[in-house]
């Protein structure tokens, strides 16, 4: 039987300590954000994981579990798609559309062409499952969730017939929480796609394959009533002992940015720069707090837009731009579903608005954009210009200033906001990470790989051999306790290493 050794549970390093604690959220808020982002990344409605989690808790109780087992099933179902951003590029490559393709897989509505394509590339699914499970498990560990939740997420795609992924566990070796979440998820998704009767017939056929047939028979008579029960009556009490009171919002931002490797750390940098600029202008502490949180939230809506749009090498067409302009809308909508996040998410959704009304998604202009919105706009443009992208190198400070000045002259960005951002950038200092977890050369390698460079590209830029890069990667993964580059990127960001 294959067993996995849980990765070390690092404390969430205060990598953005200069935000003075403005970046923390409650555990419930973080889980709510990650659940909704995961639903959208998988092509599901924004309440899909919430519905599945309530059903999973009832299934755990019906299977003889206690209140803790129900809570563990609930939390596992909430976070089951939290690793999906890390595999978006892989599924976009395999299926042509990461969101639409995964939606068709989950609902069992693949076209004949998609099914044939999936059969051809099915050997690529195991490494993607491994990435998803490792990232989701690491997120649970970094959130401080109970060990059964972490363990379940690390084995999320196992099946009782032994043909699951990534380890091929069989029978009772598949964690009970995985069986409960898989059955709940299938019932919720298939009932929505095909109606409850058809869904029940499908999960009955999957009995003995994905989950025990006896479990399906036990749940079937009650599933519809449990699924349709009012949410307020079905929410299990989370075990409060040992759970953290708050977690850094940076973890949510970092998880979302795994969707596009070249964006790693973008929201963190925008938050620090906007916060510093707000301090320089003497804005009230409440505004500074809201700016930092909005900057960390502003990318969550990208999860609803396919990677085929974000990664297109040619100039975006009108359909692409329509999708891109909807990303801030989704940021606002996701935030509106999480108590206590609404106002910050609304501000976050205005980060791409411009003074001349040319921004998106609301086309607001100078008459409605206050200094917080103006600072966010200037900060995100500055960070984007100073960061490398697959299609260009990072701009130097001189050219960055010139491009910002051009946007001020053109009436898109605010003069005072740009000056404050430039001043904050000029005085910003990068604190050294605590401890010497990685060598300077390993940090350089990981930074390059985390931004989407291939091993060959990194070797060429660093003037070392590709073999040397592979050796460094093996050392990095070992030191960080990770098996995949996506998980290493997330952990390194959390620890303040990159």
């Amino acid at each position: 039987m294959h067993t996995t050794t849980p990765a070390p549970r690092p404390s969430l390093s205060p990598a953005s300590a200069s935000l003075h604690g403005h970046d923390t959220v409650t555990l419930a808020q973080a889980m709510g954000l990650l659940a909704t982002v995961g639903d959208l990344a998988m092509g599901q409605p924004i309440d899909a994981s919430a519905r599945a989690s309530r059903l999973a808790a009832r299934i755990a109780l019906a299977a003889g579990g206690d209140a803790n087992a129900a809570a563990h099933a609930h939390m596992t179902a909430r976070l089951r798609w939290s690793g999906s951003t890390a595999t978006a590029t892989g599924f976009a490559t395999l299926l042509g559309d990461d969101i639409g393709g995964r939606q068709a897989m989950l609902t069992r509505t693949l076209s004949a062409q998609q099914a044939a394509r999936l059969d051809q590339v099915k050997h690529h699914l195991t490494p993607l499952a491994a990435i998803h499970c490792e990232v989701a498990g690491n997120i649970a560990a970094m959130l401080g969730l109970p060990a059964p939740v972490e363990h379940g997420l690390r084995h999320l795609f196992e099946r009782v017939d032994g043909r699951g992924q990534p380890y091929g566990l069989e029978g009772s070796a598949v964690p009970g929480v995985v069986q409960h979440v898989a059955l709940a998820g299938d019932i919720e998704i298939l009932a929505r796609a095909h109606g409850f009767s058809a869904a029940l017939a499908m999960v009955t056929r999957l009995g003995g394959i994905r989950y025990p047939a006896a479990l399906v028979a036990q749940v079937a008579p009650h599933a519809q009533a449990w699924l349709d029960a009012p949410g307020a009556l079905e929410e299990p009490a989370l075990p409060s002992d040992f759970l953290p009171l708050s977690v850094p919002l940076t973890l949510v931002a970092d998880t979302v940015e795994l969707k596009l490797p070249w964006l790693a750390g973008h929201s963190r940098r925008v938050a620090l720069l906007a916060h510093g600029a707000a301090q320089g202008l003497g804005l009230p502490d409440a505004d500074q707090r809201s700016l930092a949180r909005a900057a960390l939230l502003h990318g969550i809506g990208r999860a609803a837009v396919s990677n085929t749009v974000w990664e297109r090498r040619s100039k975006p067409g009108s359909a692409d731009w329509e999708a891109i302009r909807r990303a801030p809308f989704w940021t606002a909508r996701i935030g509106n579903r999480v108590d206590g996040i609404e106002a910050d998410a609304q501000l976050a959704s205005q980060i791409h608005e411009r003074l001349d009304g040319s921004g998106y998604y609301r086309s607001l202009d100078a008459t409605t954009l206050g200094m917080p919105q103006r600072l966010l706009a200037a900060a995100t443009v500055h960070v984007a210009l100073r960061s490398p992208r697959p299609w260009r190198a990072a701009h130097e400070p001189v050219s960055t200033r010139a491009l910002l000045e051009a946007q001020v002259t053109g009436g898109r960005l605010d003069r005072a906001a740009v000056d404050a951002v430039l001043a904050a950038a000029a005085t910003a200092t990068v604190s050294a990470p605590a401890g010497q977890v990685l060598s300077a050369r390993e940090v350089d390698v990981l930074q390059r790989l985390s931004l989407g460079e291939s091993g060959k590209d990194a070797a060429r830029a660093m003037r070392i051999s590709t073999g040397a890069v592979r050796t460094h990667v093996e050392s990095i993964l070992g030191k960080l306790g990770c098996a995949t580059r996506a998980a290493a990127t997330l952990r390194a960001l959390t620890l303040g290493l990159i």
Side-chain angles (χ1 to χ4, degrees):
M1 179 181 70
H2 180 91
T3 58
T4 58
T5 301
R9 287 187 164 226
S11 59
L12 284 169
S13 168
S16 51
S18 60
L19 297 179
H20 304 296
H22 292 332
D23 64 327
T24 59
V25 291
T26 68
L27 177 62
Q29 288 171 333
M31 290 183 63
L33 289 168
L34 289 168
T36 308
V37 164
D39 283 338
L40 291 174
M42 298 296 291
Q44 302 304 298
I46 56 179
D47 63 344
S49 288
R51 284 164 51 83
S53 64
R54 293 193 293 269
L55 181 56
R58 293 302 299 263
I59 291 174
L61 291 172
D66 59 12
N68 277 343
H72 296 159
H74 181 273
M75 289 186 279
T76 303
R78 290 282 274 173
L79 292 179
R80 63 185 174 149
W81 304 139
S82 59
S84 60
T85 53
T87 59
T89 293
F91 274 102
T93 300
L94 294 184
L95 301 175
D97 179 353
D98 52 305
I99 295 177
R102 290 189 286 198
Q103 188 271 344
M105 288 177 64
L106 291 176
T107 57
R108 298 181 173 266
T109 56
L110 288 166
S111 66
Q113 183 178 8
Q114 286 176 314
R117 170 63 178 164
L118 193 61
D119 187 61
Q120 292 173 351
V121 300
K122 61 184 177 183
H123 58 286
H124 291 295
L125 295 180
T126 298
L128 290 176
I131 293 170
H132 184 122
C133 290
E134 184 177 22
V135 169
N138 284 1
I139 288 170
M142 289 186 284
L143 288 174
L145 298 183
V149 177
E150 177 188 346
H151 189 64
L153 290 168
R154 293 191 186 281
H155 298 84
L156 192 62
F157 303 117
E158 302 294 346
R159 303 179 355 174
V160 296
D161 68 352
R163 301 181 65 183
Q165 299 162 331
Y167 305 116
L169 303 185
E170 186 175 359
S172 60
V174 178
V177 70
V178 172
Q179 300 172 22
H180 305 153
V181 169
L183 179 55
D186 281 354
I187 292 172
E188 193 280 327
I189 291 170
L190 296 173
R192 199 169 7 90
H194 303 283
F196 188 80
S197 296
L200 199 58
M202 290 180 182
V203 298
T204 299
R205 289 195 294 270
L206 289 170
I209 298 174
R210 284 175 59 85
Y211 19 71
L215 181 63
V216 177
Q218 188 176 18
V219 168
H222 314 286
Q224 186 163 22
W226 291 347
L227 188 63
D228 294 339
L233 300 179
E234 300 298 315
E235 196 80 20
L238 298 181
S240 58
D241 291 348
F242 309 113
L243 289 181
L245 295 177
S246 64
V247 295
L249 186 54
T250 48
L251 177 59
V252 175
D254 296 339
T255 300
V256 172
E257 288 173 353
L258 292 177
K259 181 177 172 69
L260 295 166
W262 43 268
L263 272 180
H266 175 83
S267 294
R268 286 173 175 262
R269 293 189 287 274
V270 175
L272 288 167
L273 191 55
H275 183 265
Q279 282 185 317
L281 288 177
L283 266 61
D285 188 67
D287 284 349
Q288 294 179 30
R289 176 183 186 276
S290 187
L291 272 168
R293 292 163 67 84
L296 292 171
L297 286 167
H298 85 272
I300 58 179
R302 293 194 194 98
V305 180
S306 171
N307 271 38
T308 56
V309 172
W310 296 120
E311 298 183 310
R312 201 181 305 284
R313 293 289 178 169
S314 58
K315 185 177 180 180
S318 58
D320 291 337
W321 271 113
E322 183 176 349
I324 291 169
R325 291 171 67 91
R326 292 279 287 176
F329 161 80
W330 284 110
T331 294
R333 190 168 181 198
I334 294 169
N336 282 341
R337 292 186 53 79
V338 180
D339 290 342
I341 295 293
E342 303 93 334
D344 297 324
Q346 286 297 322
L347 177 58
S349 73
Q350 298 171 19
I351 200 167
H352 297 295
E353 303 290 353
R354 297 295 180 260
L355 298 181
D356 62 356
S358 63
Y360 57 92
Y361 70 101
R362 297 183 182 90
S363 298
L364 304 179
D365 59 23
T367 62
T368 53
L369 296 175
M371 184 52 70
Q373 291 91 337
R374 298 176 188 213
L375 283 174
L376 276 178
T380 193
V381 172
H382 185 283
V383 170
L385 291 172
R386 292 286 291 129
S387 303
R389 294 292 182 256
W391 56 89
R392 63 161 174 80
H395 285 277
E396 295 298 326
V398 172
S399 59
T400 297
R401 178 182 287 272
L403 290 167
L404 286 168
E405 291 287 349
Q407 295 214 30
V408 171
T409 302
R412 301 190 77 227
L413 295 179
D414 178 76
R415 161 59 62 194
V418 167
D419 287 346
V421 164
L422 288 170
T427 59
T429 58
V430 179
S431 59
Q436 296 298 319
V437 181
L438 302 179
S439 69
R441 178 52 64 93
E442 288 169 344
V443 169
D444 192 7
V445 169
L446 184 55
Q447 283 177 328
R448 292 180 180 279
L449 297 181
S450 71
L451 293 174
E453 288 188 14
S454 67
K456 185 181 295 186
D457 291 338
R460 185 183 302 113
M462 298 174 67
R463 298 184 179 181
I464 59 177
S465 69
T466 54
V469 170
R470 285 194 297 271
T471 299
H472 286 309
V473 170
E474 291 174 2
S475 176
I476 291 165
L477 295 177
K479 289 180 178 180
L480 295 180
C482 296
T484 63
R485 295 182 184 185
T489 296
L490 182 61
R491 179 156 293 170
L493 284 166
T494 299
L495 296 175
L497 300 175
I498 58 174

